[in-house]
């Protein structure tokens, strides 16, 4: 599976949009981009995923560049409860399809 | 629809004892995955199971660890003769199937194992 690169940390003001970047320059055509978050040692929470089109759900939006080498997770109106570690994961077919390979993620701190 | 359930939530064992961690997948899910998170480290995949089958155990330590997902009942992660280095949070995830494109894994709250 392709490797991802994320900033170590970022701060965001409450009520503002949080834009979390992720680079995955070696992504293959059949690999998906997944986003999870982990709030203070809780179980990881699924946020959103996409293949090549932009996606939106009740939690967030996912913007994938046309060449698919990078993506951005957007939390439209960050709240204090969005403080968490956010993981960008590339997941593909084959024998590794079952496993999610978590990196270090981005520690997001939402401040009042 | 209840989420993934794990029990116990906290487990304390002395060195040399056995630890059994249970995971009940979401209703309708037949695929289970176990992950481990050591203190101050990231989540690492351990094993992927379907009912009565181990699909991928590439992340399982070679000794003392085993996992099963019987036809009836929860998935069990078993650690024999625990050592202090086994102290970690163990998370279970489930998905409806394992091969569908975009098939999503949903995680449980985890079991925190402490080895004294």
């Amino acid at each position: 599976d392709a490797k991802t690169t994320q900033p170590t940390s970022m701060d965001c003001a409450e009520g503002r949009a949080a834009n979390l970047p992720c680079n995955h320059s070696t992504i293959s055509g059949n690999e998906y981009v997944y986003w999870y978050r982990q709030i203070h040692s809780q179980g990881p929470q699924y946020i959103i995923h996409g293949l090549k089109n932009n996606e939106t759900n009740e939690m967030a939006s996912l913007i994938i560049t046309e060449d698919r080498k990078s993506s951005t997770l957007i939390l439209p109106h960050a709240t204090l409860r969005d403080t968490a570690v956010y993981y960008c994961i590339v997941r593909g077919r084959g024998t590794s399809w079952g496993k999610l390979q978590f990196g270090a993620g981005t520690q997001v701190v939402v401040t009042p | 629809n209840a989420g993934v359930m794990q029990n116990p939530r906290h487990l304390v064992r002395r060195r040399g004892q056995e630890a059994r961690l249970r995971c009940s997948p979401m209703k309708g899910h037949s695929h289970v995955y176990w992950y481990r998170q050591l203190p101050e480290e990231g989540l690492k995949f351990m094993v992927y199971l379907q009912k009565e089958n181990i699909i991928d155990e590439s992340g399982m330590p070679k000794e003392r660890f085993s996992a099963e997902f019987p036809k009836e009942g929860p998935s069990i992660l078993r650690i024999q003769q625990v050592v202090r280095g086994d102290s970690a949070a163990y998370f279970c995830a489930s998905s409806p199937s394992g091969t569908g494109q975009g098939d999503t894994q949903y995680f449980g709250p985890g079991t925190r194992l402490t080895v004294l």
Side-chain angles (χ1 to χ4, degrees), chain A residues 37 45-48 56-61 74-76 82:
Chain A
R37 72 181 183 184
Q45 179 185 22
Y46 165 76
I47 301 173
I48 199 166
T56 295
N57 63 21
E58 65 279 2
M59 287 183 69
S61 296
I74 302 172
L75 307 177
D82 292 323

Side-chain angles (χ1 to χ4, degrees), chain A residues 32 34 36 38 41-44 46 49 51 87 91 93 95-100 102-103, chain B residues 33 35 37 43 45 48 56 58 91 98-109 112:
Chain A
Y32 284 73
Y34 274 76
Y36 282 81
Q38 188 175 27
S41 311
Q42 296 179 20
Y46 165 76
H49 73 277
L51 183 62
Y87 298 99
R91 185 181 181 206
R93 292 187 183 215
T95 56
S96 62
W97 176 254
K99 66 176 79 169
L100 294 172
F102 288 84
Chain B
Y33 315 79
Y35 294 80
Q37 188 169 32
L43 289 125
F45 167 82
Y48 163 29
D56 180 356
S58 59
F91 294 99
T99 57
Q101 293 186 28
D103 203 23
T104 299
Q105 295 181 24
Y106 296 91
F107 283 79
R112 270 97 187 140

Side-chain angles (χ1 to χ4, degrees), chain B residues 84-116:
Chain B
R84 288 218 174 107
D86 297 331
S87 295
Y90 292 82
F91 294 99
C92 168
S94 73
S95 68
S97 67
T99 57
Q101 293 186 28
D103 203 23
T104 299
Q105 295 181 24
Y106 296 91
F107 283 79
T111 293
R112 270 97 187 140
L113 173 65
T114 301
V115 179
L116 302 177

Side-chain angles (χ1 to χ4, degrees), chain A residues 3 6 8 12 14 18 43 45 60 62-63 67 69 100-101 112:
Chain A
K3 201 171 177 181
Q6 299 179 251
T8 303
C12 179
E14 189 179 20
Q45 179 185 22
L62 175 60
I63 309 298
D67 63 8
K69 293 185 177 182
L100 294 172
Q101 294 182 315

Side-chain angles (χ1 to χ4, degrees), chain A residues 4-10 20-22 35-38 84-89 101-108, chain B residues 41-43:
Chain A
T4 62
T5 304
Q6 299 179 251
T8 303
S9 64
M10 62 185 296
L20 282 63
C22 179
W35 283 84
Y36 282 81
R37 72 181 183 184
Q38 188 175 27
V85 178
Y86 287 75
Y87 298 99
C88 171
I89 300 168
Q101 294 182 315
F102 288 84
T106 297
Q107 173 67 65
V108 172
Chain B
E41 292 191 18
L43 289 125

Side-chain angles (χ1 to χ4, degrees), chain B residues 39-67:
Chain B
E40 306 303 321
E41 292 191 18
L43 289 125
K44 301 292 184 188
F45 167 82
M46 299 181 74
V47 62
Y48 163 29
L49 309 105
Q50 195 182 355
K51 287 281 187 181
E52 300 183 280
N53 286 305
I54 296 175
I55 307 300
D56 180 356
E57 57 182 346
S58 59
M60 285 280 270
K62 294 283 186 269
E63 298 177 347
R64 301 187 297 107
F65 285 72
S66 62

